[in-house]
Amino acid sequence: MKNSIWLIAAFALTVTAAPVSAATVSGKVLFEGDPPAPKPINFGAEKQCATMHGDHLPVNEEIVINPDKTVKWALVYVKDAPKSAAAPAEAVEIDQKGCMFIPHVVAARVGQKVTFKNGDPVLHNVRSEAKTNKPFNIAQPIQGMTTSKTFDKPEIGIKMRCDVHFWMASYIHVLDNGFFAVTGDDGRFEIKDLPAGTYTLELWHEKLGTRTTQVTVVATDVKTADFTLKIA
Amino acid sequence: MLEKIQNEPYRLFFPLGIVLALGGVGHWLFYAAGWMSHAYGFLHANMQVMLYLPCFVGGFLMTAVPRFSATWTARRWELAGALALMTGITGALFNGRWLAAEALYVLWLLLLARFIVTRFLKRQVDYPPIEFVWIPPAVFLGLCGTLVIILALAGRVGPGWMQMGRSMQEQGFLIALVIGVGGFLGPKLMGVHQMPPVNAQNFKAEMRKKIATHAAGASLLIVSFFLEGRDGNVRGYILRAAVVTGMLVWSKSLNDKVIAGPSLFTRALSASFWMIAAGYWLIPVFPKLQVALLHMVFLGGFSLMISCVSTMVVLSHSGRGELLHRPLWIFWLIAAGFTVSVSLRVGATFFAEHYFMLLGISSGAWLIVQVGWLIFALPFILSGPAGGVSPPDHRKIIESSGHAC
């Protein structure tokens, strides 16, 4: 009798502990055609900015094609996913280092802190060109100083600029759920814990445009969806 | 008018300096107001250092040096050359031709040096002001710094050298002139200069001692820039602060006239010397605030001093020197405008969300002072005899310089 009770309890635990949303969608963002040659940043007279890079001067990150012909800095997100729980407590960080925004693209949740840091001994500012959220322009005149902001509404492709160093640009994507990823050096994305359902998966790139695809998942599916981009 | 300008080049270069400064500072106001999309920090610094300040320095020295040396006034080609170089530098900066701008600035420094040296060598007075021995180190620092910048821009030396070059060019040239020419003129204008008792026996010994002290100070100032080096080492600023303070105390340029001065002019002039010393001491204490505190030196120090001294020049050369110690509206404007401008420029650092707005207001206050000065000074600049007038207070300054040496 006792053993039966333990067995029933263990079974109940297993059933209740099983995740409801456990689907994963992953894939690659590929590039078709000849990759454009990387354009070195022209620092002009701002030699102090150039100093910080030594011999390895940075390149423009508008279009970054990895050696395996995958695309970096593309946002892939589930367009019509259910809203997730409250935003994470940890902040998303963007550093102004070597007169560049690092990283070039970030994604954050609505209400999640985004912290901007000035890692340089020169004046930078962070000006957001938000259209749905409230735009702002904050100066960062001291090395090491940080400023935090939150965005109240979802918005894709908020451009951030430094007006003192005109080549500096980055993008923040603000979403109201956690089902998104930004591709890195391997051009891959992975979106986990998606509830069962049919969704629109959208890709957004600052220069190569947007793509969408439909994906249907059930509880513990692992689906693959690749995107291919090219220069128009 | 040309003859007036040849006799007193300040009549051309003081107004020109202000017009050029409107461009060098105005864009902060336009950016804050949303009329410009970029903030051109590099352009601002270069316009102020290569145009606004040199116009006043050149206008003053090209007027004063012939008088102190009792030699010939500015030749037409010297005026034309200086004007052409200012125009060239302006064009080069606005077109982003940084290398060309720096090269033209080198030519301007050489033109100024030649102007002074030729008149010094052919001087008709035995002893020009000893403090003018600071002019060669000033030109050296300006030339050295600019050449280092040129080499860095051209990729001939590492970009790290730019930091040192800019310090020498931006600060070295001016601070040497402030210690020298300012240290000579300032105490006299503030009424604190005391002529030591002179007799035939101790005169030459006193002269040698003074020259040795100035030479030591200048050497240490130059060393401070190499100590600052390519990474902005604070040891350089500590040495610079010590040299500046020591020399300005010795010359009595640092005094209590900032509080006890009999006129607004005296208090403002005294305040400018204090701002320079204070700014330089605060930098090693708060190294992260270096840029803001350098504005204390440049804005509250050099620029305020220029406003005061240029007012003196304009009034005294128009035979209206007696107005200098009256509470004229221009002195109220200078006092109020610079107080707002310096406070907001330094304070803006602590208000990131409102930084550019505060910078815009600071710039606006400074621009109002400059335009106000132009409105005040132009009637005096445009009138007056061709040879200028030496009213009693200005003549006393010239005469006392001979006795002081």
Side-chain angles (χ1 to χ4, degrees), chain B residues 105-350:
Chain B
Y105 184 67
V106 167
L107 292 179
W108 180 84
L109 283 169
L110 291 173
L111 179 75
L112 183 70
R114 187 203 169 277
F115 183 98
I116 296 169
V117 166
T118 49
R119 284 156 180 84
F120 175 77
L121 291 174
K122 296 263 174 78
R123 65 188 185 278
Q124 301 297 306
V125 296
D126 287 332
Y127 305 108
I130 279 184
E131 290 84 352
F132 282 27
V133 301
W134 278 88
I135 294 178
V139 174
F140 168 77
L141 282 166
L143 277 174
C144 196
T146 309
L147 289 171
V148 168
I149 292 171
I150 287 174
L151 290 172
L153 282 172
R156 298 292 182 169
V157 297
W161 286 88
M162 181 75 97
Q163 164 88 15
M164 194 167 92
R166 285 187 73 176
S167 271
M168 284 181 164
Q169 182 199 65
E170 290 172 4
Q171 299 174 51
F173 174 62
L174 285 166
I175 194 60
L177 287 177
V178 164
I179 293 172
V181 179
F184 162 74
L185 194 57
K188 293 174 177 60
L189 293 174
M190 290 186 280
V192 296
H193 173 74
Q194 291 172 5
M195 289 188 290
V198 173
N199 60 50
Q201 280 176 320
N202 73 1
F203 179 68
K204 282 199 174 162
E206 281 299 315
M207 254 189 63
R208 274 197 292 272
K209 208 163 98 175
K210 274 193 167 185
I211 291 173
T213 306
H214 283 297
S219 303
L220 287 173
L221 182 72
I222 291 171
V223 165
S224 78
F225 289 97
F226 289 95
L227 209 54
E228 183 188 343
R230 290 175 285 159
D231 56 0
N233 197 308
V234 294
R235 292 176 305 171
Y237 277 101
I238 294 172
L239 178 59
R240 200 168 308 152
V243 170
V244 167
T245 307
M247 297 305 301
L248 293 181
V249 166
W250 184 52
S251 67
K252 295 188 174 52
S253 302
L254 281 176
N255 50 57
D256 65 352
K257 296 298 178 188
V258 62
I259 303 167
S263 65
L264 267 175
F265 164 78
T266 308
R267 290 198 288 274
L269 184 59
S270 179
S272 69
F273 284 105
W274 280 104
M275 286 287 212
I276 292 170
Y280 273 128
W281 279 115
L282 286 171
I283 288 170
V285 177
F286 304 106
K288 289 199 170 179
L289 302 183
Q290 180 180 324
V291 173
L293 293 169
L294 277 175
H295 277 82
M296 198 170 166
V297 173
F298 275 82
L299 202 46
F302 300 149
S303 184
L304 177 57
M305 192 177 293
I306 278 172
S307 293
C308 294
V309 173
S310 59
T311 308
M312 182 281 296
V313 169
V314 161
L315 288 177
S316 62
H317 281 254
S318 304
R320 302 305 309 275
E322 78 281 1
L323 294 177
L324 198 63
H325 295 285
R326 298 220 189 128
L328 304 176
W329 67 265
I330 188 57
F331 293 127
W332 285 109
L333 186 63
I334 287 171
F338 272 95
T339 301
V340 169
S341 189
V342 175
S343 310
L344 292 184
R345 178 56 191 90
V346 175
T349 311
F350 305 101

Side-chain angles (χ1 to χ4, degrees), chain A residues 44-48 50-51 123-125 127 136-145 147 149 161-164 166, chain B residues 28 31 37-42 98 152-154 159-160 162-163 166 288-289 291 348-350 352-353 355-356 359:
Chain A
E46 299 281 1
K47 292 298 181 188
Q48 194 169 9
T51 308
L123 166 69
H124 289 305
N125 73 301
R127 181 166 58 82
F136 55 81
N137 184 358
I138 45 171
Q140 307 236 92
I142 301 176
Q143 185 173 21
M145 73 179 283
T147 310
K149 285 285 184 188
R161 303 200 67 108
C162 171
D163 295 325
V164 184
F166 57 89
Chain B
W28 287 116
Y31 176 73
S37 58
H38 289 294
Y40 297 96
F42 195 76
W98 314 115
L153 282 172
M162 181 75 97
Q163 164 88 15
R166 285 187 73 176
K288 289 199 170 179
L289 302 183
V291 173
T349 311
F350 305 101
E353 299 268 355
Y355 182 86
F356 292 109
L359 235 63

Side-chain angles (χ1 to χ4, degrees), chain A residues 5-15:
Chain A
I5 292 171
W6 279 116
L7 269 169
I8 292 166
F11 177 71
L13 209 62
T14 310
V15 167

Side-chain angles (χ1 to χ4, degrees), chain A residues 38-210:
Chain A
K39 286 187 251 180
I41 299 288
N42 179 4
F43 290 111
E46 299 281 1
K47 292 298 181 188
Q48 194 169 9
C49 292
T51 308
M52 301 176 213
H53 296 276
D55 292 331
H56 303 287
L57 291 179
V59 295
N60 188 307
E61 292 189 282
E62 286 179 342
I63 300 177
V64 177
I65 309 300
N66 299 313
D68 58 0
K69 282 194 84 175
T70 56
V71 178
K72 192 175 179 183
W73 300 133
L75 169 75
V76 180
Y77 67 105
V78 179
K79 204 168 176 183
D80 39 11
K83 284 189 186 172
S84 303
E90 60 268 18
V92 170
E93 293 187 352
I94 298 180
D95 197 356
Q96 291 173 298
K97 187 85 184 136
C99 300
M100 301 287 288
F101 281 106
I102 296 172
H104 178 61
V105 173
V106 297
R109 296 277 302 279
V110 168
Q112 185 177 12
K113 256 195 205 167
V114 179
T115 299
F116 302 94
K117 181 183 168 190
N118 182 357
D120 286 338
V122 298
L123 166 69
H124 289 305
N125 73 301
V126 182
R127 181 166 58 82
S128 89
E129 294 179 359
K131 295 180 177 52
T132 310
N133 286 279
K134 192 176 164 194
F136 55 81
N137 184 358
I138 45 171
Q140 307 236 92
I142 301 176
Q143 185 173 21
M145 73 179 283
T146 58
T147 310
S148 292
K149 285 285 184 188
T150 56
F151 297 85
D152 299 331
K153 303 186 188 91
E155 189 173 345
I156 302 296
I158 303 174
K159 193 169 187 179
M160 316 299 291
R161 303 200 67 108
C162 171
D163 295 325
V164 184
H165 306 99
F166 57 89
W167 61 83
M168 287 177 70
S170 75
Y171 286 86
I172 295 178
H173 306 294
V174 182
L175 300 106
D176 58 8
N177 60 68
F179 305 109
F180 57 80
V182 176
T183 59
D185 295 329
D186 58 4
R188 290 189 57 81
F189 66 90
E190 188 175 70
I191 299 171
K192 290 181 175 178
D193 299 333
L194 200 56
T198 299
Y199 300 102
T200 304
L201 205 61
E202 179 154 297
L203 174 147
W204 188 97
H205 188 276
E206 64 184 273
K207 286 292 177 194
L208 300 175
T210 58

